[in-house]
Amino acid sequence: MLETTVSLVKTALDSDIVKHQVLAHNIANANTTDFVPYQLSFDSRLGQLQSKIKTGGQIDHADLSALFPRVERNLSAQGLNPKVALDLEAAKLGGNVLHYQAVIRAYNQMTSLLGIAIHEGRQA
Amino acid sequence: MGYLSSFAISASGLTVEKARLDATAVNIANIHSTRSIDGGPYRPIRVISGERGVSPFAQVLDTQQIASGGVQVVSVSQLEVPPRLVHEPSHPDADAKGFVHYPGIDHASEMINLITAMRAYEANLVALGAAKAMAVKALEIGGQS
């Protein structure tokens, strides 16, 4: 149980950093001509994983790879308006930082819970 | 997963946008230059940028290794613009008909380039700040919440 949470936290933090790199790359190329922005996508296994969690199934390491996003060109933007929307990218960036901080806070709360169990309920 | 590549991506963006600002500054500074190194009036320059590490970027991220993304200056090109002709027969650089060939620099487009580059520079700084905030927060892993 604990191991799953630790690997989940690790996957979440890593995918946040990848997301940040993709957003930073898009912003850096905001004025590059003919640049098609990148986006992240999750494969279809994510939906299966979600239903598995809902039904209370155990998550193994194979499931965790579904949580890691893939990097691909935002092809829907090609042709129509391939320009990078700076405001949108900055907004996603802000949300990403908050998510990163939230994951770390949740993890810290879990470890402090663990600390209470180690000290048999007494204050450390 | 390291932060160094995040910083490098944003830093490359800052470098390119600063080069763009420099190009605009050079163009505006030379708005009345009738003599250039290669003869004739000064010709405005543009910074052409391109993606750094285009093809490996997605693959590298997929394999969860250090990303080599970002942007780079591909070239600095001179624009082919017709000179601005001003009738000044007494000017030392006037042609046989008394016209002086001034650089055909478009004020409006230079100013637009300036503002776009400035905004893009700021956006890169925001991305850099976000990476920094994440790195600082990562130091709190395992601490008291």
Side-chain angles (χ1 to χ4, degrees):
Chain A
M1 185 62 199
L2 184 67
E3 206 177 306
T4 312
T5 313
V6 171
S7 7
L8 266 172
V9 166
K10 193 180 176 307
T11 311
L13 295 179
D14 275 355
S15 66
D16 275 350
I17 290 179
V18 171
K19 190 174 182 186
H20 177 89
Q21 286 172 352
V22 167
L23 292 172
H25 184 78
N26 286 347
I27 289 171
N29 284 287
N31 283 339
T32 301
T33 39
D34 298 335
F35 173 71
V36 182
Y38 282 99
Q39 65 178 10
L40 291 178
S41 73
F42 294 93
D43 54 34
S44 50
R45 283 179 296 164
L46 188 65
Q48 294 169 19
L49 188 63
Q50 279 173 332
S51 54
K52 196 172 176 182
I53 293 169
K54 268 180 196 156
T55 52
Q58 270 293 322
I59 306 163
D60 52 34
H61 283 283
D63 292 328
L64 286 176
S65 64
L67 285 173
F68 206 82
R70 282 182 295 122
V71 181
E72 57 184 31
R73 296 271 185 187
N74 187 2
L75 290 174
S76 60
Q78 204 168 26
L80 286 169
N81 186 16
K83 281 291 281 179
V84 178
L86 274 182
D87 47 355
L88 246 160
E89 301 287 332
K92 283 182 194 166
L93 208 63
N96 195 41
V97 173
L98 272 182
H99 182 258
Y100 192 83
Q101 296 181 343
V103 169
I104 289 176
R105 175 166 290 198
Y107 180 70
N108 284 350
Q109 271 168 3
M110 194 205 74
T111 51
S112 69
L113 215 68
L114 208 65
I116 292 172
I118 289 168
H119 292 102
E120 298 169 341
R122 286 168 300 190
Q123 289 295 312
Chain B
M1 191 71 53
Y3 281 98
L4 288 174
S5 54
S6 300
F7 292 133
I9 290 170
S10 295
S12 72
L14 293 176
T15 310
V16 168
E17 297 311 329
K18 211 156 86 177
R20 234 184 277 282
L21 284 176
D22 286 348
T24 306
V26 170
N27 286 345
I28 292 174
N30 282 292
I31 202 149
H32 289 128
S33 298
T34 51
R35 292 175 203 185
S36 62
I37 301 162
D38 33 295
Y42 171 82
R43 276 162 62 203
I45 53 170
R46 281 279 179 282
V47 170
I48 313 293
S49 64
E51 257 182 297
R52 192 171 64 183
V54 181
S55 54
F57 184 62
Q59 297 167 9
V60 158
L61 286 183
D62 272 347
T63 51
Q64 305 181 24
Q65 287 170 1
I66 301 162
S68 58
V71 65
Q72 61 188 358
V73 174
V74 175
S75 69
V76 179
S77 317
Q78 287 189 314
L79 295 183
E80 294 289 343
V81 288
R84 184 163 52 90
L85 297 180
V86 179
H87 190 65
E88 274 181 69
S90 56
H91 195 286
D93 290 330
D95 62 8
K97 290 177 182 170
F99 283 100
V100 180
H101 294 236
Y102 283 110
I105 291 167
D106 181 11
H107 268 100
S109 67
E110 292 300 332
M111 291 317 287
I112 288 168
N113 282 341
L114 183 85
I115 291 164
T116 320
M118 261 172 67
R119 292 290 170 261
Y121 190 88
E122 285 169 11
N124 276 297
L125 274 182
V126 168
L128 199 67
K132 211 171 77 178
M134 284 164 80
V136 168
K137 192 68 189 176
L139 293 175
E140 292 177 22
I141 294 176
Q144 297 294 315
S145 65

